[in-house]
Amino acid sequence: MASQDQQSANGTPYLLPANAAQGLANYPHARVIPGSPRIVYVSGTSSRRGDGTYAGCSADPDPVTGIHSLDVREQTSAVLYNIGNILRGATGGAVGLEAVVDATVFLTDIAGDYAGMNEEWNKVWPDKASAPARTCVQVAALPSPKLNVEIKCMALWP
């Protein structure tokens, strides 16, 4: 729950347990802003697992190109799962993905991966009326070449 750490001027940080994937720099997985409703800002989240592997990424790179095979559907599904875990952890189980009001999706290949990412997105939010607002952009790279999607979002905690 967010109250596990002391609140600072910019809200209460939430950090996943040590056995979960940790941030690559000094930032919390989420930050809870007090008020009614509380606002939960979730940091950019990937498909990285606690053991350092990545869902949707081949274990070994192609021997010729050195590039890993990436599955945007599997990665998107894992990213959304990870965000749900962060939200439940930050709110003591009070809210999950249903509370997301705004999201930004970062793709490394929007032409090749947009449709697959949307397929997984639409499984979580099959109805436009209950889906969060969303922006999707292409980026030159993400923090690891083993990633092709990352999502950051904001949720409300009544």
Side-chain angles (χ1 to χ4, degrees), residues 42-137:
V42 178
S43 294
T45 302
S46 73
S47 67
R48 192 162 51 94
R49 301 177 183 119
D51 65 2
T53 62
Y54 297 80
C57 176
S58 61
D60 298 313
D62 180 280
V64 175
T65 65
I67 297 172
H68 289 268
S69 175
L70 304 177
D71 182 332
V72 74
R73 288 170 183 82
E74 188 177 343
Q75 283 204 8
T76 302
S77 178
V79 169
L80 293 170
Y81 177 83
N82 290 344
I83 289 171
N85 280 341
I86 291 168
L87 286 169
R88 285 186 298 280
T91 65
V95 301
L97 291 172
E98 76 285 349
V100 175
V101 296
D102 186 47
T104 303
V105 179
F106 303 94
L107 293 171
T108 57
D109 177 10
I110 203 162
D113 291 337
Y114 187 76
M117 179 276 302
N118 269 334
E119 286 177 23
E120 295 304 316
W121 178 276
N122 291 340
K123 289 177 185 177
V124 174
W125 292 287
D127 176 35
K128 285 183 182 184
S130 62
R134 187 183 88 184
T135 300
C136 187
V137 296

Side-chain angles (χ1 to χ4, degrees), residues 12-26:
T12 304
Y14 172 73
L15 303 170
L16 284 170
N19 63 343
Q22 299 299 307
L24 300 176
N26 291 333

